[in-house]
Amino acid sequence: MAHKIVIVGGGAAGIGAAGGVKAADPANEVVVFTEFEDVAYSPCGIPYVHGKEIDDFQRLFLATKDAYVKAGIDIRYETRVGRVDLARKVVVIDGHGEEPWDGLVLATGFDYADPGVPGGDLDGLYYVKNIREAMQWDKILDTVKVAVVIEASPLGVEMTTALAHRGIATHVVDPGPWPMSQVADPDIMAPVEESWDELGVTTHFNTTLQVFLGEGHLRAVQTSAGEIAADLAVVCTHKEPNNRLAAAAGLKIGSTGGLIVNERMATSAPGVFAAGDCTEIPHGLTRVGLQGLTGSHAYAQGKVAGINAGGGSRAYRAVYVPWGTPAGKWIIGGASFGETTATALGIPYVLGAAQGISRARYYPGVKPVMVKLLAEPGTLRLIGAQMVGGEGIKERADFLAMAVKFGFTFHDLATMENVYSPAIGALNEPIVLAAQNGLDRLRGA
Ligand SMILES: Cc1cc2nc3c(=O)[nH]c(=O)nc-3n(C[C@H](O)[C@H](O)[C@H](O)COP(=O)(O)OP(=O)(O)OC[C@H]3O[C@@H](n4cnc5c(N)ncnc54)[C@H](O)[C@@H]3O)c2cc1C
């Protein structure tokens, strides 16, 4: 029997869900609400247009509005859902009546944490998200001489690099001791800081934001270490789940602020599913709830939520979090967690680390690749990894997440086979070297 599914949110999770509903049964009716003017664009590409690596915002659009009409997905653009009425199974739309549903998917995403300082209402504060706004800001960037990035979060790292590539004098202000200090290890981020230095970025770590100064428009950023004159502040504070609708409807919310869902992405209310940055998902090893994962997680969760809401059956399991991003002239990445998080959570580990190379040492373009592996003492099962290097980080992060998931040990990784072909891979795979070094250290100890 066909269902009518309403989806609130047109980001990665909402669009994944819409596809999932139709995949479950093409006869299902799907209505998607979004506050924005567009869906099916990649927000992930915005920093690279600002940095001029991508020449046009149009390249970030992945499908036309007409393609959704043809696929039978009814998208209501620039339409805000104001309330969810669980008892009557309707969403109440701001100013435009109601929409009934048989099943509901909440995919309301994230907000940047409020910097919580005076001056937050000045012009010249940029929160990177909506592509139409990004197009306007891109024109303004041509006139910006000095910018301050507020917090070296993952997006802050991308935006710092992008603004520096664009030739803007860029400062980054962060209360932590190094970039992405809540998740990344200092030795992974040290080369990134060096390369920012080469790009002319000024870093202000262990420094808190105090006030955005200006009269109508931003003039300077006041910090605990002094004032920075600036035309623009890019606010890259951490992501917080946008769960206003869910909380008002009485859905169960977890300790991170993300909606609690089961493996079917079902919430605490019958017929109501959720996906993406508004949810929290358990880490595969620690079972600790994680909120604000990535766009690829959001899309995959949306697919599962949509399939189940539409009458199908699919599970979304705990996550092992492969991640990666360009940062300065390097690429950083990893899987599960590194030393910083393991230490913060009190998780014991043994370490194997190596500095390897990405291609044969004589092949043009060869780049360094540093790999750190964390294993459980005793069993030597891999529990996490972090890397910094010039290429091949993404593929290693994806592989290492699977290695954590399936319990590969230092012994497995030290003896794994690898591709050797001068232009694409070195004789000695850096992961193998790191695992071998880990075993040697233990023997030495
Ligand atoms: C600049 C930038 C760079 C990124 N880079 C990467 C990257 O490199 N790799 C990666 O994997 N991910 C990246 N991401 C993805 C990001 O970090 C999130 O994980 C992802 O956007 C989450 O998708 P979502 O659908 O859950 O939420 P969102 O993208 O936040 O979408 C939320 C949707 O809900 C709608 N909405 C909210 N409330 C209402 C309401 N009341 N009524 C109607 N509509 C509503 C909004 O209009 C929006 O369509 C990036 C994001 C940004 C902004």
Side-chain angles (χ1 to χ4, degrees):
M1 193 189 74
H3 303 72
K4 175 174 179 179
I5 308 302
V6 164
I7 298 168
V8 187
I15 291 302
V21 172
K22 282 290 185 187
D25 183 348
N28 282 335
E29 197 183 329
V30 191
V31 182
V32 179
F33 290 97
T34 175
E35 292 177 303
F36 296 157
E37 302 86 342
D38 310 281
V39 297
Y41 66 84
S42 170
C44 315
I46 293 172
Y48 302 96
V49 184
H50 289 331
K52 302 268 189 205
E53 286 88 4
I54 300 173
D55 63 359
D56 194 331
F57 280 102
Q58 292 309 324
R59 291 189 189 277
L60 306 189
F61 285 94
L62 310 169
T64 61
K65 292 188 175 178
D66 198 37
Y68 289 100
V69 175
K70 287 197 177 116
I73 296 171
D74 175 3
I75 301 185
R76 313 276 173 87
Y77 300 95
E78 297 181 75
T79 308
R80 193 174 166 280
V81 171
R83 194 162 59 82
V84 172
D85 187 329
L86 294 177
R88 293 175 50 237
K89 291 179 108 178
V90 296
V91 292
V92 181
I93 298 137
D94 281 2
H96 300 281
E98 301 179 340
E99 193 71 38
W101 43 267
D102 303 319
L104 176 68
V105 180
L106 294 173
T108 44
F110 74 94
D111 295 320
Y112 292 105
D114 182 352
V117 299
D121 56 348
L122 291 173
D123 291 340
L125 268 56
Y126 178 19
Y127 292 79
V128 190
K129 192 169 195 192
N130 178 327
I131 195 163
R132 299 285 178 116
E133 288 177 16
M135 290 173 184
Q136 295 310 313
W137 278 104
D138 200 66
K139 292 181 194 137
I140 295 169
L141 288 183
D142 285 334
T143 66
V144 169
K145 300 228 166 356
V146 184
V148 180
V149 174
I150 305 298
E151 291 191 19
S153 60
L155 179 65
V157 167
E158 289 185 1
M159 283 303 296
T160 299
T161 306
L163 296 173
H165 280 170
R166 188 150 175 154
I168 295 171
T170 304
H171 294 252
V172 56
V173 172
D174 190 286
W178 60 83
M180 289 173 54
S181 60
Q182 300 205 336
V183 288
D185 294 345
D187 51 352
I188 295 296
M189 299 310 288
V192 174
E193 288 187 63
E194 277 167 34
S195 75
W196 275 350
D197 202 37
E198 287 166 24
L199 284 168
V201 171
T202 311
T203 56
H204 308 260
F205 290 107
N206 298 308
T207 303
T208 50
L209 170 71
Q210 292 182 332
V211 188
F212 293 114
L213 297 166
E215 297 73 36
H217 195 282
L218 181 77
R219 171 175 55 76
V221 171
Q222 176 71 50
T223 74
S224 55
E227 199 174 300
I228 306 165
D231 315 302
L232 171 77
V234 185
V235 182
C236 298
T237 46
H238 64 268
K239 297 192 289 181
E240 288 183 343
N242 168 8
N243 272 331
R244 288 180 286 279
L245 288 178
L251 297 182
K252 259 196 199 151
I253 293 190
S255 58
T256 66
L259 265 166
I260 292 182
V261 288
N262 65 16
E263 284 195 347
R264 303 185 71 238
M265 303 306 293
T267 69
S268 54
V272 181
F273 297 78
D277 278 0
C278 63
T279 65
E280 67 174 39
I281 305 290
H283 185 284
L285 294 181
T286 62
R287 310 308 291 183
V288 170
L290 301 178
Q291 184 280 318
L293 293 164
T294 71
S296 63
H297 289 95
Y299 184 73
Q301 291 163 19
K303 265 253 139 54
V304 171
I307 286 171
N308 292 326
S313 177
R314 190 176 287 186
Y316 188 86
R317 308 212 189 275
V319 290
Y320 295 84
V321 208
W323 64 275
T325 182
K329 72 176 183 191
W330 301 112
I331 302 163
I332 53 172
S336 184
F337 44 71
E339 287 191 89
T340 302
T341 307
T343 306
L345 293 175
I347 297 172
Y349 62 88
V350 291
L351 193 68
Q355 180 76 60
I357 49 177
S358 61
R359 312 176 182 189
R361 65 183 63 254
Y362 51 80
Y363 198 88
V366 58
K367 305 258 173 55
V369 175
M370 179 193 170
V371 175
K372 286 173 64 182
L373 303 175
L374 281 70
E376 183 181 54
T379 65
L380 300 188
R381 282 170 68 125
L382 191 70
I383 56 172
Q386 291 206 345
M387 294 170 285
V388 57
E391 59 185 356
I393 300 297
K394 175 246 174 329
E395 295 78 2
R396 289 185 176 88
D398 289 346
F399 164 72
L400 288 167
M402 293 301 277
V404 174
K405 181 170 181 172
F406 289 103
F408 289 7
T409 65
F410 271 3
H411 296 287
D412 297 322
L413 295 172
T415 54
M416 81 181 215
E417 300 169 83
N418 65 280
V419 174
Y420 167 49
S421 179
I424 57 170
L427 181 62
N428 291 308
E429 162 55 40
I431 292 173
V432 174
L433 295 175
Q436 189 60 57
N437 286 348
L439 293 173
D440 290 348
R441 267 171 68 140
L442 287 167
R443 272 190 214 106

